[in-house]
Amino acid sequence: MARLLLIRHGQASFGADDYDALSEIGHEQARTLGRSFAERGIRPALIVRGDMRRHDETAAGIVEGLKEPVETVVDAGWNEFDFHHVVTVHQPDFRSATTPRAFQEIFEAATARWFSGDHDAEYAESFTNFRERVTAALDRLRAHRDVAVVSSGGPIAMAASLLTTGSAAGWAAFNRVSVNTGVTKVISGSRGLSLSTFNEHTHVEADPRLLTYR
C-alpha cells in the first residue's frame, strides 16, 4: 500500500504585510518536522506542494530538516481557498479585528456562510468548486507512492472529510483543529484512499512555542 502524508504549512505571518510568508516559528516548525521524519526513517520519494509562498517555504524547511534532497512538484489544486475574499464578502471591515481570537470569530462566521451554498454567486470560488478542486487533487495522488503533500488547513480538512464521510460534512470541524505542520496520513490501497490518521503533531508538542493553529 502507498502512504500519502498531507502536511499543513508552518505558521504564517498573521498581521504582517505579507501573510503568506512563514513566521520564524513557521520556519522552525518545518525544519523540526523534517528532522522528525529523518529520525523515524520517513523519507518521501516526492513532495507535492501548492503554489503559495507558505507551501514553498514549508517544503524547503522539511527538506532542510531531512538533510537530503527530495524531488518537488507544484499542484495548485492544494492551494488554500481565498479566505481574505470569503471573510471580506461576509464582513468588509474584518481588519478591525485586532486579536487572533476576534478574527477567528469572524472567520468561522464567514466560512459558515460560504459553506452553506446559499450565496455561491457572491464568491470567486464557491464552496462546491473548492470541494471539486480538492477532490481532483486528491485523485491525482493515486498515481504516486510515498508522497508528502504540503498544503493548507482547508484542503486537508476537505480531504479528511471526504475520506471519512464521503462528503464535505465534516470540513469545518476538521479545519478548526488543524495544527501548523500537522501530518494527516492517507493510505492508498486496492480499495482506494483511506484516512489513517489526522493532524498528528507530536514533533511540536515538546515545545509549546511550536504548537500553533494559525
Side-chain angles (χ1 to χ4, degrees), residues 9-94:
H9 61 79
Q11 183 190 63
S13 300
F14 181 83
D17 290 340
D18 186 0
Y19 170 85
D20 203 25
L22 292 190
S23 67
E24 288 303 314
I25 290 291
H27 285 288
E28 188 173 350
Q29 289 166 333
R31 293 190 295 268
T32 299
L33 178 57
R35 289 193 295 270
S36 175
F37 279 169
E39 291 166 1
R40 291 183 285 162
I42 299 173
R43 290 176 171 80
L46 177 72
I47 293 177
V48 176
R49 65 169 179 84
D51 68 3
M52 308 178 95
R53 178 175 177 178
R54 56 190 183 270
H55 302 152
D56 182 19
E57 293 182 350
T58 300
I62 292 170
V63 171
E64 182 180 345
L66 280 168
K67 297 187 182 302
E68 63 178 64
V70 182
E71 180 187 359
T72 302
V73 299
V74 175
D75 182 347
W78 289 104
N79 283 358
E80 184 62 285
F81 66 95
D82 186 350
F83 70 85
H84 281 112
H85 172 63
V86 169
V87 172
T88 299
V89 169
H90 171 67
Q91 185 167 322
D93 66 344
F94 77 91

Side-chain angles (χ1 to χ4, degrees), residues 1 187-193:
M1 294 188 291
I187 301 299
S188 178
S190 59
R191 296 186 179 181
L193 301 180

